[in-house]
Amino acid sequence: QTDLTVTLCWRFIPFQFIQRHSQLSGLFFQLLTSQYSNERLKLSKELLNFLKTVDDDLQTFTGPYLCGEQFTLADICLYPIMERIAVVLPSYRDFWIPPSLSHLLCWYAAVSVRPSVRVATADRSDESMKTYCFERRNRREYLIEVYECHSRNEDRVFRDLNDTRGSAGYNIYREYVDEELRDRRICEAKSCQKCVIS
């Protein structure tokens, strides 16, 4: 092989993987926002099958990354959605990446420890805490907090509450959810016939 062939190959393969994995974020959001158990089950199976494809792709080359030893744009594009699948879905949809997808889990671990990724996924800074309406500093807890309104399909409620009563470092939506859950428990305890409890 000539140097030009190798160069063209390394330019093409990452984009091929990016295109191949482009449906992953859509599946994540569909599963996260679905409010119906039958649909969630179907989407969980679809997502698992897709993750098996990624696991298979990781066996194409020798090395910790999608393109082997070379860390590429394909890894950079895939990592953020994989982080959300690994962190957010267990909290809201009881979905975990199974240990049988060992290549995917090894890839995730290898990418997670890269210096640039560690910086990008660090806990929130003081500036972030003073700017945004979320309360959690720890990265994992922060992602779970951010996606809570999506898991309940209430992103509009979240925006409206924060537009009217929100402030930096305070998640007014969390208070709303806590009140709603408290009211639901009261209704259930009283067997209230006026409330419709889903």
Side-chain angles (χ1 to χ4, degrees):
Q1 290 182 344
T2 66
D3 287 343
L4 178 60
T5 305
V6 172
T7 302
L8 289 174
C9 181
W10 282 114
R11 285 186 181 167
F12 172 72
I13 291 171
F15 290 107
Q16 187 179 28
F17 282 137
I18 291 168
Q19 190 173 35
R20 189 168 155 84
H21 303 147
S22 63
Q23 297 173 13
L24 199 53
S25 59
L27 278 172
F28 163 76
F29 279 106
Q30 287 176 36
L31 178 55
L32 181 66
T33 59
S34 174
Q35 302 303 302
Y36 305 103
S37 57
N38 287 345
E39 185 179 44
R40 286 182 194 168
L41 182 60
K42 176 183 165 279
L43 290 166
S44 292
K45 289 177 182 177
E46 284 181 41
L47 180 56
L48 180 59
N49 286 334
F50 209 92
L51 293 177
K52 287 176 182 175
T53 299
V54 178
D55 191 72
D56 291 343
D57 287 345
L58 284 159
Q59 298 172 58
T60 304
F61 299 102
T62 302
Y65 307 116
L66 276 166
C67 293
E69 296 297 327
Q70 185 76 31
F71 183 68
T72 68
L73 191 56
D75 301 293
I76 294 167
C77 289
L78 186 59
Y79 185 82
I81 197 64
M82 286 306 306
E83 180 189 24
R84 282 148 181 80
I85 289 169
V87 172
V88 175
L89 289 183
S91 295
Y92 295 119
R93 294 298 176 256
D94 291 327
F95 182 94
W96 286 268
I97 299 171
S100 60
L101 301 181
S102 58
H103 294 90
L104 179 57
L105 294 171
C106 287
W107 168 86
Y108 186 75
V111 175
S112 295
V113 297
R114 288 188 62 85
S116 58
V117 174
R118 290 175 65 116
V119 169
T121 60
D123 290 346
R124 294 174 66 204
S125 65
D126 289 340
E127 189 63 31
S128 175
M129 296 295 289
K130 292 176 192 173
T131 305
Y132 300 104
C133 64
F134 299 103
E135 299 171 359
R136 304 290 184 220
R137 183 178 292 269
N138 173 274
R139 172 73 176 183
R140 293 179 68 84
E141 293 172 3
Y142 166 69
L143 286 175
I144 292 166
E145 182 183 13
V146 166
Y147 284 97
E148 180 177 24
C149 65
H150 300 288
S151 73
R152 297 167 58 89
N153 216 7
E154 293 182 338
D155 43 329
R156 168 65 110 205
V157 173
F158 173 85
R159 281 195 304 272
D160 290 347
L161 285 169
N162 278 292
D163 286 349
T164 57
R165 300 184 309 177
S167 63
Y170 178 66
N171 186 349
I172 189 71
Y173 178 76
R174 180 91 293 274
E175 183 179 306
Y176 164 82
V177 170
D178 289 343
E179 287 175 10
E180 184 182 279
L181 292 174
R182 185 194 67 231
D183 292 346
R184 184 174 293 210
R185 282 192 295 273
I186 291 170
C187 282
E188 287 173 346
K190 293 181 177 181
S191 299
C192 181
Q193 298 301 313
K194 294 178 183 176
C195 299
V196 176
I197 299 178
S198 57

